[in-house]
Amino acid sequence: MGFLSVLSCAHQWISSRLQPGDLAIDATVGTGADTLFLAQKVGKRGQVIGFDIQSEALTLAQARIRKQEDTAKLGSISMLQLSHDRMAEAVPETWQSNVGAVMFNLGYLPSEDADSSIITETDSTLAALQAALTLLKPRGIITVVLYPGHDGGSQEADAVLAWASALPVEQAQVVIYRQLQRETSPFLIGIEKK
């Protein structure tokens, strides 16, 4: 057995923190894998809000969720066709400092029919990360999966690394999970709010 994939590791980190009844955010819905995972973890008393700028992503995610056999056990899910940098203004005011987990899976929509030139943008990602940090409750967690191997991906990864590295230790603890031999391999950053 090898090491966990970055996505599996992100799920494991979230699983160790998120509790039934919690609030969670999927900052980049994509095909809905993380949205569904979060809804399973928060359970029927919890809530999940997902963000994506592409209607195709929201359609793929809704289809994934509909395929679940026991949707009664899922938290309530709201998906918004909005950029993740509008997260703070789009979530209910009661979510401020009460969110258990925020997941980011950056890059582009991994679908055969998707336009791979539509990618997450550095400026909106950094704004969304800052918003996510303010929404987190103490000991809440942000996971960020970065993909330096595509056009624009390494610039975004470098900017996110710089932002996360500069966070004061009194505010958050930041860790990284990365294969060191391949510079373009996806990697994971975890941020725990103090």
Side-chain angles (χ1 to χ4, degrees):
M1 182 173 143
F3 289 111
L4 293 173
S5 72
V6 291
L7 298 173
S8 295
C9 187
H11 284 195
Q12 189 174 74
W13 290 355
I14 296 276
S15 290
S16 70
R17 305 293 171 85
L18 211 51
Q19 300 296 313
D22 272 351
L23 306 173
I25 295 172
D26 185 352
T28 51
V29 168
T31 62
D34 291 338
T35 311
L36 177 59
F37 165 76
L38 291 168
Q40 290 167 332
K41 289 298 163 194
V42 300
K44 60 184 176 184
R45 293 182 296 116
Q47 297 176 55
V48 176
I49 297 178
F51 294 87
D52 209 294
I53 60 168
Q54 297 181 78
S55 61
E56 182 183 350
L58 302 181
T59 300
L60 289 168
Q62 288 162 349
R64 179 186 294 263
I65 291 161
R66 276 195 304 273
K67 287 181 186 172
Q68 287 306 296
E69 290 178 15
D70 201 353
T71 55
K73 291 185 178 178
L74 298 179
S76 87
I77 302 169
S78 303
M79 287 188 272
L80 306 175
Q81 189 175 346
L82 278 177
S83 173
H84 54 203
D85 67 352
R86 302 208 23 222
M87 179 187 309
E89 69 189 67
V91 301
E93 200 171 304
T94 55
W95 284 45
Q96 285 293 327
S97 301
N98 286 313
V99 173
V102 183
M103 297 188 80
F104 288 78
N105 193 349
L106 302 176
Y108 54 87
L109 180 60
S111 169
E112 289 178 15
D113 303 327
D115 180 352
S116 63
S117 71
I118 300 173
I119 60 172
T120 52
E121 301 286 341
T122 302
D123 290 344
S124 63
T125 295
L126 293 176
L129 283 165
Q130 192 61 52
L133 196 54
T134 63
L135 290 169
L136 280 186
K137 64 183 180 181
R139 291 201 28 83
I141 186 172
I142 297 170
T143 60
V144 188
V145 177
L146 296 128
Y147 298 87
H150 69 84
D151 285 345
S154 64
Q155 294 89 336
E156 183 176 46
D158 289 346
V160 170
L161 270 174
W163 175 84
S165 298
L167 289 172
V169 292
E170 302 79 30
Q171 184 180 16
Q173 177 179 339
V174 181
V175 296
I176 188 169
Y177 181 76
R178 183 175 203 169
Q179 182 181 356
L180 295 177
Q181 299 99 324
R182 291 195 188 128
E183 209 172 288
T184 59
S185 289
F187 65 98
L188 170 64
I189 294 175
I191 303 164
E192 178 191 51
K193 188 171 183 175
K194 294 275 179 111

